[in-house]
Amino acid sequence: MKQCILQVVLDTPLDSSFDYRWQTTNDDELIPHIGQLVRLSFGRREVVGLIVGVTSHSNISEAKLKDVQGVRYQLPPLSTQWLNLCGFAAQYYQRPLGEVALPGLPKNLRALTTVALDRGLKKLRQMNDPHDASPVDVPQLNPAQQDAADAIASATGFAPTLLYGVTGSGKTEVYLQAAEKILAHNDGEHNPAQILILVPEINLTPQLEGNIRARFPNVMVATLHSGLAEGERMRHWLAAHLGQARIILGTRLAVLASLPHLQLIVIDEEHDPSYKQQEGLRYSARDLAVWRARQLNIPIVLGSATPSLETWHHAQSGRYRKLELRQRAVTNAVLPTVRLVNMEHDKPREGLTSTLISALKLRLARGEQSLLFLNRRGYAPVIACDACGWVSNCTRCTAFMVLHKPEHRLRCHHCSLELRIPGSCPTCGNVDLQPLGRGTQRLEEGLQAMFPEARVLRIDADSTRRKGSAQLAFDSVHRGEVDILIGTQMVAKGHDFKNLTLVGILNPDTALFSHDYRASERLFAQLMQVAGRAGRAAQKEGGSVSEVLIQTRYPQHPLYSAVIAHDYDHFASALLAERQQAHLPPYIYQALLRAEAKELETAIAFLQQAATCLEHGGITMNDPIPMTMTRVANVDRAQLLIECPSRPGLQAFLTDWMAVLRTIKTRAKWSLEVDPVDI
Ligand code: ADP
Ligand code: ZN
Ligand code: ZN
């Protein structure tokens, strides 16, 4: 009879591991190993847990110890390195280990039956089949690209690098050629290498996936993102875990994948807010990736035309090496000219100034594409009654119901509430309700009336609800079936539109005066990214010079001057100086305690208690305040911001604080976020 005690973590909010007994009379059965999954009963449920310790002794009495029900031997154990990564994330973000480690695993792996796993493993063999490998054109790198690719491929040890390259400078090509070198050096069974490439939103960058598959026909490529069906997800995860997939392309969640032979991490568009998980475990995939690279002592590349200020700060201080690509890669493709159109002088019609209308006409006449960027979906953000002042407030949130005309609905973008558009004012009966403001649907309607012959396509979250529809829409733009593309931030990212020579930016001013201190950093990045969609191919004979027109009421604003000059350097340095003066990140470390309840007082009362429950020398406790959007779906929300000039200081306090917070009796639901971005 063999026997031992397994220390197991489970996906529960309880911050501890649990002891279970394992025993067998079968002499051939192996003793379970750390990193293996086990089936067991917990309370009245049957669940899958993860072994984090194997010992011979437990403090729980023999009579109370429960036996595990089965060990998942088919799956090779998760490595200590992977457990350490989860352990770090758990500690840093103040969550129980089980809540970090288990939800990151494919659902099928956590399912109680093993059928899915045996299925998964079988199908994996099919992924191995070399696919049809028609040769592809590999561009000759320009000298700046070549230097960057060489520097990345030859880096050893923990070498964080910022690849700072203007839009269209060919950063992707640099990643791919560096990856090629690393894979070539580390070939064969004894020294295989895996490369993790993170992108903000995989569904919006299928070009990259296609590119990678074509370029690496002999290498297994796995993709990891939330759009995969469970079976697929399991297969790709296993391919990574077993070390068979050599290139792993994924969104933020892929940072927690098991990658036993990881040799290089690439984070494309590292500034993108999508790298921050905004619910549950609110982690930054970028920060975890950097930690992971340090743990494994491997290089990491962070690429962007508009790096986050955190990354820029590290590059300035020399902690990260900075590699620069100053020019567009395609011969004779140049950055577009950016011009401001003063809306006070050139009054817009249907949201469009006469300057922008003329520019659109010119593109239509020349058969070139235009992009109009308006970061507000729906028809109008609110409808109102002139007679009595009624406005379409959401009854459950501190927000307006947005008019969605094609869908004949009023929709709240914050809770799921949907109503039919009222035929008359609910208060006074006036039948003449007015839409106020303009969203993408209204812009589309106006453009179609103005240019009946033009092919107008709108791409936003509403037009692309069906799975795969975004892809179809982008394909038709690439095929040249669209003259004017209207879009929200969905169209700003990464796309390599070849025939686009005009970008119109419709309503960026609101972000200039936001209370959020990150708003100008984000707006700048967004404008540079969307501007970067223009002029990506060489100017055609008789074709237009590529240009970006920004409609604004504040043409004097320094942010716009920086955009015109394509001058990220100075703008970023100025923002950093401001942040330093104002004691804001990255010069200070923050955590945010959120609380929500049916009544605001309950949430505030909890936060007040939290603010005083523990001695906090060295920590700045701000006052608990209601969130800007206080009510969402009939729940009131409040927050307490705490700050500290030292990261370890903040960490130490948070650990002690969490222990005390867990003992507070309250009806409020609360959660802690470390390094919050929306405050
Ligand atoms: P970025 O990611 O920096 O915005 P991309 O990687 O999308 O830029 O590259 C922009 C365009 O330049 C793509 O069409 C790409 O195929 C092309 N390109 C990249 N490198 C080269 C090169 N060395 N020579 C010619 N074209 C290139
Ligand atoms: Zn009314
Ligand atoms: Zn609502």
Side-chain angles (χ1 to χ4, degrees), residues 555-580:
Q556 311 303 337
H557 199 285
L559 187 143
Y560 293 135
S561 324
V563 174
I564 290 175
H566 298 280
D567 188 356
Y568 176 82
D569 295 47
H570 283 100
F571 185 71
S573 300
L575 278 187
L576 273 177
E578 273 175 40
R579 298 260 186 105
Q580 188 163 26

Side-chain angles (χ1 to χ4, degrees), residues 592-595 600-612 621-627 637-642 657:
L592 192 69
L593 184 62
R594 300 165 198 269
L600 185 61
E601 301 81 69
T602 313
I604 295 273
F606 166 76
L607 294 178
Q608 267 157 354
Q609 204 178 340
T612 51
M621 271 289 164
N622 292 279
D623 289 333
I625 49 168
M627 288 190 196
R637 310 169 322 151
Q639 64 182 42
L640 165 63
L641 179 69
I642 77 167
W657 201 35

